[in-house]
Amino acid sequence: MSYSCKILAIDGGGIRGIIPAYILQQIEAAMKAPIYQIFDVVAGTSTGGLIALGLTTPTPPYTTPNAPLTASAVLNLYMTDRDKIFVPQNSGGAEYYGTDTSTNPPSGIEPWLQSLFPNVTLSQAQTVLKQLNQPMPKQVLTTCFTANGASGAAFAPYVFNWADAAAAPGGPDDYCVWEAARATSAAPSYFPLANVGAGATNGSQATQRWGVDGGVTANNPGLYGLAEAFRLGLCSNLNDVLIVSLGTGIYDPALQIFSNGNWSYLEWAYWNGTYPLIDVLTMSNVQAPDQQLQLIMPQGNYFRLDPAISAAEAPLDGTDTQALETTAENYVATGGAGYQIFQNVIQALG
């Protein structure tokens, strides 16, 4: 079957981004091509947004067209740079710093992202990548929710994306790539809200907004990817579309219900070692789009790869990176629960 539009969607999940990064490494190996030569639309939320941008943003210097990171390189970042991303705060507020200015140089997720994507906006990334004269995405996007901002930044979901940025380079939607990565991964209670756009340090002149992690909007960005494909005229009906959706591990938080479920704010926020409200919101934002896509997509046009993980592997800031990689490896290996789905993905992409 041939498809006029191939969509890659990558879920949020913090350090569990190791799982989709490993699967993408295997896709590149099987296809003998980098991700930016395979998919027409690349959508990511939170950690999936970091992966999406890493796989589609040229590496510096931008005066020459340099290919983006490979999936193997992205996976290596997750395996080696955890401590550069999750820098514990030594004062009140979020658990980890956005930027810790007490160190020299500053540390935290924001300086780390700025070093990964230095001085390049979304429109510039697309322009430089086009110079490679190879198949490339027509659209790259990450999701977030705007909690507050300047005029034009409504209290609503927002999508950082190539198309709107390129429509007005240097304009209201042309954020730095690092800003799109920072806002989509600003997980509540883990990191401070992301201040991006005009006024942000080392930021763009786009509309100023305070962004919250895209996981509160669409932890699974598959439907956003499909909507963008139709918006940009990359397809005319669902039969034209292939969607490959990658999760970061599905788990049962084993919520313990007590008092007939008559919970207050406190119990919903934290109970017996679990975070009920966060677990319900993040898991529903993964499962609902998957259920909807399974219902509307023709057979053979939608594939979901999402291994079962243990509660010990579920924390967004987990430290056992090797265990997560092993989970992903076993999932797509011969005899694994995702082996046949993975083989079907490779056949569809071919």
Side-chain angles (χ1 to χ4, degrees):
M1 184 183 298
S2 61
Y3 310 91
S4 64
C5 182
K6 298 176 181 178
I7 299 171
L8 172 64
I10 314 169
D11 287 10
I15 197 65
R16 298 187 342 244
I18 287 170
I19 292 172
Y22 178 86
I23 294 172
L24 288 166
Q25 178 191 61
Q26 299 308 301
I27 289 176
E28 287 190 339
M31 298 301 297
K32 296 181 172 56
I35 294 302
Y36 75 90
Q37 293 182 2
I38 300 173
F39 292 96
D40 301 289
V41 175
V42 180
T45 287
S46 195
T47 199
L50 270 64
I51 295 172
L53 293 168
L55 296 173
T56 58
T57 301
T59 54
Y62 306 117
T63 52
T64 57
N66 294 310
L69 298 173
T70 63
S72 292
V74 171
L75 175 60
N76 184 63
L77 288 174
Y78 277 90
M79 300 300 290
T80 61
D81 283 12
R82 181 200 172 279
D83 292 342
K84 297 178 182 178
I85 300 169
F86 297 101
V87 177
Q89 285 211 50
N90 54 20
S91 60
E95 188 169 356
Y96 301 104
Y97 279 106
T99 301
D100 180 5
T101 56
S102 70
T103 62
N104 187 20
S107 57
I109 188 172
E110 202 157 297
W112 183 79
L113 289 170
Q114 291 175 4
S115 68
L116 190 62
F117 306 115
N119 304 318
V120 61
T121 67
L122 294 167
S123 69
Q124 290 168 342
Q126 184 182 34
T127 297
V128 174
L129 196 59
K130 281 182 178 179
Q131 297 174 29
L132 291 174
N133 295 320
Q134 296 173 337
M136 55 164 286
K138 285 76 174 177
Q139 177 68 310
V140 174
L141 63 105
T142 69
T143 66
C144 86
F145 191 94
T146 299
N148 199 350
S151 175
F155 181 76
Y158 179 76
V159 177
F160 300 89
N161 69 94
W162 273 7
D164 291 336
D173 296 301
D174 194 14
Y175 291 88
C176 291
V177 172
W178 76 259
E179 291 176 306
R182 172 74 173 89
T184 196
S185 58
S189 78
Y190 285 91
F191 296 107
L193 278 75
N195 180 22
V196 299
T201 303
N202 299 321
S204 66
Q205 292 303 306
T207 301
Q208 184 180 17
R209 64 182 70 240
W210 288 90
V212 183
D213 192 298
V216 304
T217 297
N219 210 32
N220 172 347
L223 286 170
Y224 266 117
L226 181 61
E228 287 298 306
F230 275 95
R231 177 171 81 104
L232 299 179
L234 303 179
C235 53
S236 58
N237 61 70
L238 293 177
N239 290 309
D240 295 338
V241 181
L242 170 68
I243 301 178
V244 178
S245 177
L246 304 182
T248 61
I250 195 81
Y251 67 98
D252 183 351
L255 300 180
Q256 297 184 21
I257 310 301
F258 71 100
S259 300
N260 297 319
N262 187 24
W263 288 0
S264 69
Y265 291 117
L266 292 177
E267 286 84 13
W268 271 110
Y270 180 81
W271 173 249
N272 199 27
T274 63
Y275 302 87
L277 186 59
I278 291 177
D279 285 330
V280 169
L281 290 175
T282 55
M283 294 302 287
S284 64
N285 275 336
V286 165
Q287 294 170 314
D290 176 44
Q291 292 174 350
Q292 292 159 358
L293 288 167
Q294 288 189 48
L295 289 171
I296 67 173
M297 294 299 295
Q299 186 174 3
N301 291 65
Y302 174 70
F303 298 99
R304 174 77 172 165
L305 289 159
D306 194 14
I309 60 174
S310 67
E313 294 175 298
L316 302 185
D317 56 351
T319 58
D320 197 343
T321 55
Q322 189 57 59
L324 289 167
E325 184 179 21
T326 299
T327 293
E329 181 180 2
N330 292 339
Y331 178 67
V332 297
T334 303
Y339 172 76
Q340 192 55 58
I341 303 173
F342 180 80
Q343 297 304 314
N344 292 342
V345 166
I346 299 306
Q347 184 177 5
L349 291 174

